[in-house]
Amino acid sequence: MPASAPVSIFNWRIWWIAIRPKTLTAAIAPVTVGTAVAFAEGKFDFFPALAALMVGLLIQIGTNLHNDYADFQRGADTSDRLGPMRVTQAGWLTPKAVYQAALIAFGLAGLSGVYLIWHAGWEVALLGSAAILAGLAYTAGPWPLAYIGLGDLFAWIFFGFVAVIGTTYVQVGRVPALAWMGGLALGAMITALLAVNNLRDVETDRFAGRRTIPVVFGREMGYREYAFCLLTAYVTPVLVFAMNNQNPWYLLPMLSVPFALRLVGFVRITEGQELNRALGGTARLILWFGVLMAGGIALA
């Protein structure tokens, strides 16, 4: 049952909580890296880059809002929830208001995408449409991705590869190898964020019928997924370094390794609500890693 009566839909503080701002680094970092690749190719274009950022942010916001609504409707969000408060479950906003806001966010993402289609071609429409559909299908529809064990894979694909290569493509008109490597690294980072979320919620996810890695294979495998994702992210700059004349600028993301190691150690010995600290730390790591990777690519 909702914890309290709904508040005014014009209360911006409630909507700020609803969009889950800490997760927006998962939209900002890939666009930053994709734009750095365009810059390295001598093709940086401000307005397509800005439009790509708007699309990424709006799809992330729409996905967050739709998850809030859909999980509540499925009964997955209860008083036993360990993560940050969901506004629908708390009763601060009605399910209808949150659902409509999600559709508005996806609609605005589509409008921003119209400019990118005009600028870069119809192929962009395929990427954008697929990303919006994935956001809607994450917790809704007959086969919700988060409930059938495909959430991690689709996060890696869309928040990693699609976001980075799409940002590069709308500026460059093609997809250089660096964009694929950036997509690999950022997709791994963002999947690590989801892995922490799944570790924290293993018991409530089991009750709700979600088939995440920790639910199906146990907490230890969930931890290994988190460590593997971060390892993959940090191996990528080393590969780029080796493939591009050993230019040391490509190793700039390695400056964040100590922070990543602390997170891996913390996640290893922590359970339940305390993992919210790791969730926030991983979100910050995504941003720092993305900025450092973008800086290294631009300076190389």
Side-chain angles (χ1 to χ4, degrees), residues 148-170:
I148 61 174
L150 295 177
D152 299 31
L153 175 63
F154 273 74
W156 200 320
I157 291 172
F158 284 97
F159 286 102
F161 288 111
V162 171
V164 176
I165 69 174
T167 300
T168 302
Y169 182 81
V170 298

Side-chain angles (χ1 to χ4, degrees), residues 101-190:
L103 295 185
I104 290 171
F106 285 128
L108 291 173
L111 286 177
S112 299
V114 169
Y115 166 73
L116 293 176
I117 295 168
W118 170 80
H119 177 81
W122 63 268
E123 298 89 349
V124 178
L126 297 179
L127 287 178
S129 298
I132 291 173
L133 288 174
L136 287 167
Y138 188 75
T139 50
W143 300 287
L145 302 173
Y147 287 80
I148 61 174
L150 295 177
D152 299 31
L153 175 63
F154 273 74
W156 200 320
I157 291 172
F158 284 97
F159 286 102
F161 288 111
V162 171
V164 176
I165 69 174
T167 300
T168 302
Y169 182 81
V170 298
Q171 297 176 73
V172 179
R174 58 187 179 84
V175 184
L178 266 179
W180 287 102
M181 299 301 285
L184 174 66
L186 268 298
M189 275 281 173
I190 292 161

